[in-house]
Amino acid sequence: MIKILLLTIPLFIYAESLKELIKTAQSNNELVHAKEYLQKSKAKDLNSKKSAYFPTFDLGAFYKRDDDISPFQSGDTYSGFARLSYDIYDGGKRSSSLQEAKYSLKASTLETQAYKKSLSLQIAKDFFTIKSLQSSLGARQEAQKSLKKQLERTKSFYAAKMATRDDIDRVQADFDTNIYEMESIKFQILSLLSQLSLKVGRKIENLDSSSFLKQTPTHYETLDATKALLFQNKSIKESAGAIDSFYYPNIKIEDKYSLYGYGRQDPALTQLGVEQLANQNTLLLSLNFRVFDYGMLKSTKEAVLLSAQALNSQITYQTEEQKLQFELSQSRIHTANLRIKSASSALVAASSAFDTIEKKYNAGIVDYIVFLDALTKKTNAKALYESSLNELEIAYAILYFYSGKNLTEELQ
């Protein structure tokens, strides 16, 4: 029964690929949800701006009570009314507000896309950093086996009075130090896995192998984050246009129909046979425009346009930054490939040297210090080689990000 259980345990250990993690994060991440809610809010605001082009219809009522009644008046007055209103001309305020809402929605949509791509890059960096740490842990675990073997060997020699207590202590110290280093790496892995789980939106325990396509784009598209700023800038300028509308005539037409009822009427009205107004239809055409406001609207518009200038500077900076990062990414890939080549050669040499020195150490030809130095070099060379492979993957992730590409489409 125990054997069957041990055989079935691997079936439940599910390792997740980088592509799966990114796709899950884009639907589970709470900050993505926040961006999407804001986007929906902008869409609702756009619908409200479209509704401004249609007439409005209002229903209302009032009750008025006068304790001291004037002659020929009623103490209580009741009224209900229906009012139909339409803005014939508003100086372009509605059109500016509508365009402002459209640009704001587009900016919000691009901000959501930009965050998703930025989140994908963060997850890719965490993914391959964890892979590097796991490789480093694996190299130290392999070294631990050699140290354990030598510790047992030294203890047996000590029991046969062929080694001193100092010999055991030296190996034991290196054995325990390696355990300390492994535990430190395990904590780093645990910490990064926790951060990755937060970004993905669910607990992550095992990572599968993943890699990017090895292509080098020759050009890049403007980042969605920069495009979002461009549309924010347009939205701000449209809001400035809405401010200008106050300087133009505003023409509005209203039709209001009212019904009236009365209580505590003046007896004189009854004696004279005068009937108070029972209903009334009122048509109102109004014209209004701003003549003077001590420069309030002018200052408001200038403040808005200064905000647009601030965005222009930010757009310029982000555009230059993207160009710089795109060029650096290409250099980063070139450097990573050179480091892989160097690390591979170092690993081959260190592994060969360790095999030779281990045999010599077991034969008593070299001392423990030489053996430990060879073991350390082999351990570091293996970790460095695996780390350089993962650094190349991160370099491609950064390149594809600053090319404006979707990282999931560039994964093998």
Side-chain angles (χ1 to χ4, degrees), residues 72 266-275:
F72 303 105
D266 186 353
L269 293 175
T270 306
Q271 292 174 1
L272 294 173
V274 177
E275 293 186 3

Side-chain angles (χ1 to χ4, degrees), residues 92-320:
K93 180 180 180 181
R94 283 175 297 182
S95 61
S96 294
S97 297
L98 180 62
Q99 284 300 117
E100 178 188 355
K102 285 181 178 179
Y103 289 140
S104 184
L105 174 59
K106 184 63 177 178
S108 181
T109 302
L110 288 167
E111 284 177 358
T112 302
Q113 295 174 3
Y115 181 74
K116 286 182 177 180
K117 288 182 178 179
S118 176
L119 180 64
S120 299
L121 179 60
Q122 294 174 41
I123 291 173
K125 287 181 177 180
D126 288 347
F127 183 93
F128 290 111
T129 300
I130 292 171
K131 283 291 185 181
S132 294
L133 288 171
Q134 288 175 337
S135 298
S136 180
L137 178 62
R140 288 196 170 275
Q141 287 173 336
E142 186 176 330
Q144 191 73 354
K145 293 178 182 178
S146 295
L147 288 171
K148 183 178 180 181
K149 179 180 177 182
Q150 295 306 325
L151 181 60
E152 292 173 349
R153 178 175 176 270
T154 304
K155 286 181 178 179
S156 65
F157 283 170
Y158 176 75
K161 302 187 182 301
M162 296 173 61
T164 64
R165 185 67 196 180
D166 292 343
D167 295 328
I168 296 178
D169 291 341
R170 278 187 298 178
V171 182
Q172 184 70 54
D174 294 326
F175 181 84
D176 293 338
T177 300
N178 197 55
I179 291 176
Y180 174 87
E181 295 295 338
M182 286 193 298
E183 293 303 319
S184 297
I185 294 172
K186 286 179 182 179
F187 178 77
Q188 292 179 59
I189 293 173
L190 176 63
S191 178
L192 277 175
L193 279 173
S194 298
Q195 295 178 38
L196 186 60
S197 297
L198 178 63
K199 292 169 186 174
V200 173
R202 60 180 171 82
K203 188 173 180 60
I204 306 299
E205 295 182 346
N206 298 288
L207 303 179
D208 200 357
S209 298
S210 296
S211 61
F212 285 99
L213 297 171
K214 302 304 183 287
Q215 300 173 350
T216 306
T218 57
H219 66 281
Y220 59 86
E221 297 180 5
T222 302
L223 292 176
D224 288 334
T226 306
K227 292 178 183 178
L229 291 179
L230 288 168
F231 279 99
Q232 283 182 27
N233 197 14
K234 291 180 179 180
S235 177
I236 287 175
K237 289 179 178 178
E238 289 295 337
S239 68
I243 295 172
D244 284 336
S245 68
F246 287 95
Y247 289 113
Y248 293 92
N250 286 257
I251 304 173
K252 184 175 183 178
I253 187 170
E254 291 184 1
D255 186 63
K256 180 179 179 182
Y257 182 77
S258 303
L259 296 173
Y260 298 98
Y262 306 96
R264 295 191 297 124
Q265 292 182 336
D266 186 353
L269 293 175
T270 306
Q271 292 174 1
L272 294 173
V274 177
E275 293 186 3
Q276 290 185 279
L277 191 66
N279 57 72
Q280 177 67 279
N281 188 76
T282 304
L283 181 65
L284 175 65
L285 181 64
S286 61
L287 171 66
N288 179 66
F289 62 93
R290 184 69 56 86
V291 176
F292 183 68
D293 62 2
Y294 289 94
M296 182 187 72
L297 292 177
K298 180 183 176 182
S299 297
T300 302
K301 181 179 178 181
E302 288 175 351
V304 170
L305 292 178
L306 285 173
S307 298
Q309 286 295 325
L311 277 181
N312 281 334
S313 297
Q314 192 173 346
I315 290 167
T316 300
Y317 178 84
Q318 288 191 187
T319 302
E320 293 176 353

Side-chain angles (χ1 to χ4, degrees), residues 7 65 87 99 291 302 316 324 329 355 359 380 409:
L7 289 173
R65 174 185 173 87
D87 290 322
Q99 284 300 117
V291 176
E302 288 175 351
T316 300
L324 175 64
S329 297
D355 291 341
K359 292 177 182 178
N380 292 339
E409 296 176 359

